[in-house]
Amino acid sequence: MIKVVKFGGSSLASAEQFQKAGTIIRKDETRRYVIPSAPGKRTSKDTKVTDMLYSCYGQAILANDDCDDDHQENFESLLNQIKERYNEIIQGLSLDLSLEEDFKIIRENFTKKIGRDYAASRGEYLNGKIMAAYLGIEFIDAAEVIFFDENGNFDDVKTNEAISSRLSGVERAVIPGFYGSKPNGKIKTFSRGGSDITGSIVSKAVHADMYENWTDVSGFLIADPRIITNPKPIDVITYRELRELSYMGATVLHEEAIFPVRKEGIPINIRNTNAPEDKGTLIVEATCQKPRFVITGIAGKKDFASVTVEKAMMNGQVGFCRKMLEVFESNEIPIEHMPSGIDTLSVFVHQDEFAEKEQKVIAGIHRAVEPDVLELESDLALIAVVGRAMKTARGTSGRIFSALAHANINVKMIDQGSSELNIIIGVRNHDFEAAVKAIYDIFVTTQI
Ligand code: ASP
């Protein structure tokens, strides 16, 4: 049995947090490969080490370009603050480890303007060194096993081979998250929060039985806790359900972290470093386990606009949709949803991506399909109600709409995915929170 365990920034923000992570790792000997993030925030007002590194590198560049003493001073001071954060952790863990030599190299490289990605990656690199020393296991620099091509795209084949061969025969190791290297040896990072991706890639390469992702929440919640007080956690969720929810704004895990393990059918377990006894959320390919409620989760986003065209006999015209969609394509506006009626078709887009181009789009649609009526509406919110159990449960949409009607909410749009995994509901922005609450209450609160 092999588990890959990834610890997020808040799980490794201080010596105390490191100790919690250490206890978790030592408690289960199958937790063999450890992927640390950089130290995150210790309090809500704190700054993540990754952000400190970006600022520090920015000052190094300015100091270099302008030969300016102020920037040089800022650079030195920020670098010292970063060093302090690591030294505090090392001392708090009573480790016999010095990062002096590493900081000397980092300082030189920053001065040589080695690159922003290198700068950011040092957060994970140094935390990995501390973690390896703390656990007494091998440290493997991610630059040696995670690869990008010359265009900066992740090279999964080369990486997979490198990790499997480097880790074969290595019982335990720490591999820092978030970065790898390009063929020219330059460091490249994933997008922010990318240590989740590293954990997933390593899990795939070692054929892990489980990818544990340790963070500061006990998994996914059925709804956003900023809208619902103490929402119930989601025990088990499928990759597909998760995709739907995370697309609509539910974030715990980096979206791209799903793909490598999904291909191998490796489950992900989201766990809470501060409450290790909680089971967290298990993300799986498929399951026969009956969910507790008909819906698995609710998520949503505000600020959409809709463009509705009406044209008599529209349904009978070949190519009507294509012509309409081409207008959005040529204006480079991605489309979210496209509910249609017999003589009407609406297109939902992100308001901010649409606002500047709206007049061009209107003119384009007139030219392309000569509508009888064209209507625009803005300040709309979309809510996704997601659940694998909806397929077999009768009356789900009925319950949603009667709950919304009771809450006095006008439904602007309904779109049920053909997989019956989700129902998307459009409401006005100002009804968003009340709508989420009404749906949560009908499916969860009243069922407890
Ligand atoms: N440290 C990086 C960030 O703050 C990557 C990560 O934590 O996953 O985005």
Side-chain angles (χ1 to χ4, degrees):
M1 175 101 158
I2 302 178
K3 284 183 188 163
V4 171
V5 287
K6 180 257 165 179
F7 286 87
S10 57
S11 301
L12 301 174
S14 62
E16 200 193 340
Q17 290 301 89
F18 255 81
Q19 277 156 350
K20 290 184 194 168
T23 309
I24 291 166
I25 298 163
R26 291 189 188 105
K27 201 167 170 209
D28 178 349
E29 58 175 30
T30 65
R31 293 182 174 135
R32 287 174 45 188
Y33 303 114
V34 182
I35 317 296
S37 278
K41 293 182 181 193
R42 293 160 293 188
T43 59
S44 56
K45 290 198 178 68
D46 202 6
T47 312
K48 288 177 169 193
V49 164
T50 310
D51 291 314
M52 294 171 86
L53 283 161
Y54 279 126
S55 314
C56 180
Y57 186 66
Q59 292 300 321
I61 298 278
L62 289 172
N64 195 299
D65 290 352
D66 307 347
C67 298
D68 177 328
D69 284 349
D70 282 351
H71 292 312
Q72 185 64 32
E73 237 173 70
N74 291 344
F75 161 53
E76 303 285 358
S77 139
L78 271 165
L79 196 62
N80 275 331
Q81 286 171 40
I82 297 167
K83 202 195 285 183
E84 245 336 280
R85 284 214 52 184
Y86 284 106
N87 281 340
E88 243 180 71
I89 298 176
I90 293 173
Q91 278 154 22
L93 297 173
S94 314
L95 291 178
D96 180 19
L97 172 75
S98 163
L99 296 176
E100 271 314 310
E101 203 40 47
D102 292 288
F103 270 99
K104 224 175 107 196
I105 298 169
I106 291 171
R107 193 182 175 288
E108 273 165 28
N109 284 334
F110 275 35
T111 317
K112 277 194 248 159
K113 299 202 279 187
I114 189 167
R116 236 173 91 79
D117 280 14
Y118 167 88
S121 74
R122 295 306 89 184
E124 271 69 13
Y125 174 84
L126 296 170
N127 233 19
K129 284 202 142 179
I130 298 180
M131 180 57 99
Y134 179 51
L135 297 172
I137 63 177
E138 191 175 342
F139 170 80
I140 296 176
D141 187 352
E144 290 168 28
V145 287
I146 305 266
F147 297 114
F148 296 84
D149 65 19
E150 43 289 321
N151 302 318
N153 299 316
F154 173 59
D155 187 336
D156 59 337
V157 176
K158 191 171 163 194
T159 299
N160 207 48
E161 272 169 28
I163 298 178
S164 353
S165 81
R166 181 67 178 79
L167 290 185
S168 76
V170 177
E171 185 61 23
R172 292 168 198 286
V174 174
I175 305 147
F178 191 38
Y179 71 94
S181 61
K182 300 214 295 188
N184 61 7
K186 275 197 115 178
I187 297 292
K188 161 102 184 97
T189 61
F190 292 109
S191 54
R192 293 298 305 263
S195 298
D196 284 344
I197 309 176
T198 310
S200 183
I201 291 165
V202 173
S203 302
K204 177 184 174 204
V206 301
H207 303 298
D209 298 279
M210 177 76 78
Y211 169 25
E212 286 182 349
N213 190 297
W214 291 83
T215 174
D216 52 8
V217 288
S218 296
F220 283 88
L221 300 169
I222 292 181
D224 187 337
R226 286 167 299 186
I227 302 175
I228 308 290
T229 337
N230 282 330
K232 294 273 161 227
I234 300 175
D235 303 330
V236 181
I237 187 169
T238 64
Y239 292 131
R240 286 169 70 210
E241 289 175 308
L242 182 63
R243 272 288 292 152
E244 301 278 350
L245 288 174
S246 35
Y247 184 71
M248 286 303 253
T251 48
V252 172
L253 188 70
H254 194 298
E255 259 191 285
E256 288 167 49
I258 296 176
F259 299 107
V261 283
R262 184 177 181 169
K263 275 192 186 163
E264 300 288 308
I266 301 167
I268 309 175
N269 192 187
I270 309 284
R271 301 285 295 263
N272 189 348
T273 306
N274 304 318
E277 59 296 336
D278 288 356
K279 281 166 122 180
T281 300
L282 192 65
I283 310 167
V284 295
E285 171 72 44
T287 174
C288 287
Q289 265 191 54
K290 292 260 173 308
R292 232 173 117 195
F293 308 104
V294 172
I295 59 163
T296 304
I298 313 165
K301 282 189 201 164
K302 285 185 176 176
D303 297 330
F304 289 92
S306 71
V307 184
T308 302
V309 293
E310 205 177 307
K311 181 162 168 121
M313 313 302 271
M314 175 196 107
N315 260 8
Q317 283 188 27
V318 175
F320 187 93
C321 290
R322 178 185 49 77
K323 286 184 208 153
M324 171 99 177
L325 295 184
E326 263 172 8
V327 178
F328 289 88
E329 186 183 353
S330 58
N331 283 289
E332 292 183 12
I333 302 171
I335 285 166
E336 285 298 313
H337 284 282
M338 216 178 64
S340 65
I342 302 176
D343 289 335
T344 60
L345 177 71
S346 298
V347 175
F348 277 71
V349 290
H350 283 276
Q351 208 154 301
D352 56 346
E353 289 165 343
F354 177 67
E356 256 181 44
K357 300 172 182 165
E358 70 172 19
Q359 296 310 318
K360 277 177 80 185
V361 174
I362 293 174
I365 293 174
H366 274 286
R367 269 196 302 273
V369 295
E370 298 172 1
D372 299 335
V373 183
L374 188 154
E375 263 176 22
L376 292 188
E377 194 158 357
S378 58
D379 299 325
L380 298 172
L382 293 178
I383 300 169
V385 184
V386 177
R388 58 188 183 278
M390 294 196 316
K391 212 172 181 163
T392 46
R394 262 173 295 132
T396 309
S397 11
R399 288 169 76 189
I400 295 177
F401 299 117
S402 76
L404 293 174
H406 274 109
N408 254 331
I409 293 163
N410 183 18
V411 176
K412 308 288 298 174
M413 189 273 287
I414 307 161
D415 195 356
Q416 176 165 24
S418 43
S419 56
E420 284 188 65
L421 191 70
N422 64 353
I423 296 175
I424 310 278
I425 300 145
V427 297
R428 291 212 174 77
N429 266 352
H430 66 252
D431 283 332
F432 176 68
E433 284 83 5
V436 171
K437 198 166 175 325
I439 301 169
Y440 182 84
D441 285 344
I442 196 72
F443 287 106
V444 183
T445 317
T446 56
Q447 306 300 311
I448 305 172

